[in-house]
């Protein structure tokens, strides 16, 4: 039986703000102040929500496909006690939404969770499905200490799940008690029911062998420019738990302590944003609770990057892929990870403009999340910047057919199976200046460009791209 209706949140974007400590005052009429303390209640839901209001569940945005009708309390099923949380995961064609997810929020002042080392809960499903995301620390305001555990496997009997806390000393005032997101990708579109019970923060004492990671554990070398900024990504923390299993969680940047070897070149804040402030080279590393994270970033700045040319075509004539002057027609994967590729790619902000920086390129691709119909368009525009003499870049514009899928050759790592392409090579680029190209949509894609799905990049090895769009004059 369901007896709680969800509210919902209209903006899914993560807003990273600096969360100040709340300070209390007036102690014996003196001007001394002490840091405010908050309840250290660990229980979130047992038979009822603990220290939460009746409207403790806030759904993801239904305008983005979230189903707000499948959440409630089941008084007939429980791991312990008399009730549990019941979540009905919808089928993709459900008129109320194709997936379900949201957060449990402490709407009061928050909780002090510094004494705990994990969030735990018991769960089971009506099917042996995979739940895409569980975690805590998301409150739809700051999300400063968000933690996510992806793709947990359900059983049809009750099992306990453990989400380690990367650095509990930071959780002085946490409002994000739980987050989940579930769809039917693992059940071939078949809806199912998920039950959760005994949701609580605990001190297990068995969370061990912390292994923090930044940049997915890679030691990256990145060229950059004064005035640019780079976001440190690929942040995780792995722990060994009592079962012997290694559990890896996605961890927000604020759990890490970032260090720059030369702050006159690059400084990094608690949100993992590297600000390049001068010329030279700086090494960025990080720790969690004094444990050095695997992965690093070497940033080399040669000074200010000249601004790329500003496009002047009317937006009605343009289908944009990567350009701040237009609304992009699709999101794209700039690091597809082709086998054998040595390329490092990064989106960097310079001169209040986003640019794509490629280092050590042999071949890579810009893979569109949705295909682009360029039937009525004649050219692809791109601006290319090189710092070294002898740099050439080959662009392969690919129509991938009705299925919208690019296959990868398992032997070469090269994408294949596209229906048609057109290849254009820049020739040697002018150094330390923007080179603009208007590439005709001709050759093999002249009569087949209604499902453009990728731009494959070869050559280099180091270059910068901006203003990538298809257009007609």
């Amino acid at each position: 039986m369901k007896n709680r209706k969800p509210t919902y949140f209209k903006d899914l974007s993560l807003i990273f703000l600096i969360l100040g400590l709340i300070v209390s005052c007036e102690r014996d009429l003196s001007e001394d102040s002490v840091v405010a303390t908050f309840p250290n209640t660990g229980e979130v839901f047992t038979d009822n929500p603990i220290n939460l209001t009746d409207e403790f569940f806030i759904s993801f945005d239904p305008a983005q496909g979230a189903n707000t009708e499948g959440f409630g309390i089941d008084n007939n099923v429980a791991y312990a006690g008399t009730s549990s949380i019941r979540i009905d995961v919808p089928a993709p064609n459900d008129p109320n939404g194709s997936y379900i997810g949201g957060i449990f929020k402490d709407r009061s002042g928050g909780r002090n969770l510094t004494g705990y080392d994990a969030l735990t809960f018991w769960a089971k499903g009506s099917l042996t499905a995979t739940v895409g995301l569980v975690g805590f620390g998301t409150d739809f305001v700051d999300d400063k200490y968000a933690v996510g555990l992806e793709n947990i496997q359900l059983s049809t009997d009750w099992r306990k799940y453990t989400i380690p806390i990367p650095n509990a000393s930071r959780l002085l005032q946490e409002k994000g008690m739980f987050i989940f997101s579930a769809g039917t990708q693992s059940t071939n579109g078949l809806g199912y029911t998920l039950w959760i019970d005994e949701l609580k923060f605990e001190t297990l004492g068995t969370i061990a062998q912390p292994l923090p990671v930044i940049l997915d554990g890679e030691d990256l070398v990145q060229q950059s420019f004064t005035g640019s900024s780079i976001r440190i990504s690929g942040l995780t923390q792995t722990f060994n738990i009592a079962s012997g299993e290694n559990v890896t969680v996605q961890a927000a940047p604020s759990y890490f302590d970032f260090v720059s070897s030369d702050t006159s070149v690059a400084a990094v804040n608690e949100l993992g944003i590297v600000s390049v402030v001068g010329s030279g080279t700086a090494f960025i590393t990080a720790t969690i609770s004094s444990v050095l994270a695997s992965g690093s970033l070497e940033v080399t700045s040669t000074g200010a990057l000249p601004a790329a040319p500003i496009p002047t075509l009317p937006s009605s004539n343009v289908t944009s892929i990567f350009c701040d002057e237009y609304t992009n027609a699709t999101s794209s994967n700039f690091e597809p990870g082709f086998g054998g590729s040595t390329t490092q790619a990064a989106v960097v902000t310079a001169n209040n403009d986003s640019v794509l920086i490629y280092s050590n390129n042999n071949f890579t691709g810009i893979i569109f999340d949705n295909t682009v119909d360029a039937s009525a368009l004649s050219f692809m525009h791109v601006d290319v910047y090189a710092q070294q003499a002898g740099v050439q870049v080959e662009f392969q514009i690919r129509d991938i057919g009705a299925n919208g899928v690019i296959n990868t050759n398992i032997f070469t790592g090269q994408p294949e199976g596209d229906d048609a392409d057109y290849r254009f090579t820049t020739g040697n680029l002018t150094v330390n200046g923007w080179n603009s190209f208007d590439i005709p949509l001709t050759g093999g894609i002249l009569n087949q460009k209604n499902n453009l799905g990728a731009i494959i990049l070869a050559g280099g090895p180091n270059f910068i791209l901006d203003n990538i769009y298809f257009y007609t004059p």
Side-chain angles (χ1 to χ4, degrees), residues 115-455:
Y116 303 104
D117 58 18
L119 174 66
T120 67
F121 61 93
W122 289 82
K124 72 171 185 174
S126 60
L127 299 174
T128 55
T130 299
V131 176
L133 174 70
V134 293
F136 62 89
T138 299
D139 60 11
F140 288 155
V141 178
D142 300 312
D143 302 333
K144 188 175 180 182
Y145 296 112
V147 170
L149 176 60
E150 297 180 337
N151 299 323
I152 66 166
Q153 180 65 52
L154 292 178
S155 173
T156 54
D157 58 359
W158 289 102
R159 295 189 181 180
K160 188 174 185 178
Y161 299 85
T162 299
I163 308 173
I165 300 175
N167 184 358
S169 67
R170 304 287 165 94
L171 303 183
L172 295 167
Q173 185 191 359
E174 184 55 58
K175 297 181 180 181
M177 297 293 98
F178 188 59
I179 185 173
F180 74 91
S181 180
T184 57
Q185 294 87 344
S186 65
T187 61
N188 294 318
L190 186 63
Y192 62 94
T193 298
L194 160 66
W195 290 272
I196 295 175
D197 201 2
E198 297 300 301
L199 177 65
K200 64 182 72 173
F201 291 91
E202 293 192 80
T203 305
L204 299 176
T206 55
I207 307 297
Q209 301 175 24
L211 297 172
V213 169
I214 66 172
L215 300 167
D216 295 319
E218 297 185 54
D219 296 314
L220 301 183
V221 178
Q222 179 68 64
Q223 59 175 329
S224 196
F225 300 89
T226 303
S228 65
S229 61
I230 305 168
R231 182 182 297 276
I232 301 294
S233 59
L235 305 174
T236 62
Q237 172 84 306
T238 298
F239 293 93
N240 185 263
I241 64 174
S243 66
E245 176 188 6
N246 287 329
V247 176
T248 299
V249 297
Q250 307 294 322
S254 293
Y255 284 107
F256 292 78
D257 293 311
F258 295 96
V259 176
S260 170
S261 66
D262 190 340
T263 55
S264 68
V265 175
V268 56
N269 67 17
E270 65 175 330
L271 300 180
I273 305 299
V274 179
S275 298
V276 182
V277 295
S279 300
T281 297
F283 295 89
I284 309 300
T285 56
T287 61
I288 294 183
S289 300
S290 300
V291 179
L292 181 65
S294 175
S296 65
L297 176 65
E298 178 184 329
V299 179
T300 298
S301 169
T302 56
L305 174 70
I310 299 175
T312 58
L313 286 168
S315 58
S316 58
N317 290 25
V318 172
T319 296
S320 178
I321 302 302
F322 182 85
C323 182
D324 287 348
E325 296 299 318
Y326 304 110
T327 300
N328 293 329
T330 177
S331 54
S332 299
N333 181 0
F334 300 110
E335 293 187 281
F338 296 149
S341 175
T342 61
T343 306
Q344 298 169 0
V347 178
V348 173
T349 301
N351 305 306
N352 295 316
D353 180 44
S354 297
V355 297
L356 280 165
I357 297 182
Y358 289 89
S359 303
N360 304 315
N361 182 63
N362 54 354
F363 64 92
T364 188
I366 299 172
I367 309 302
F368 308 161
D369 290 345
N370 298 292
T371 57
V372 169
D373 185 356
S375 300
L377 306 178
S378 306
F379 296 91
M380 186 187 87
H381 178 90
V382 62
D383 293 314
V384 190
Y385 188 96
Q387 294 177 281
Q388 302 166 307
V391 172
Q392 297 186 25
V393 182
E394 180 183 81
F395 297 89
Q396 303 174 17
I397 306 167
R398 297 198 168 187
D399 185 286
I400 61 175
N403 60 9
V405 174
I406 291 182
N407 299 314
T408 301
N409 186 297
I410 62 174
F411 299 105
T412 67
Q414 290 275 14
E416 63 176 17
D418 55 297
D419 290 339
D421 70 8
Y422 176 68
R423 304 186 181 201
F424 173 86
T425 302
T426 61
N428 290 338
L429 297 170
T430 300
V431 178
N432 294 326
W434 285 99
N435 299 256
S436 297
F437 297 96
D438 295 287
I439 304 169
L441 301 180
T442 184
I445 60 171
L446 177 62
N447 299 312
Q448 189 174 336
K449 51 185 176 178
N450 62 323
N451 283 294
L452 299 183
I455 302 168

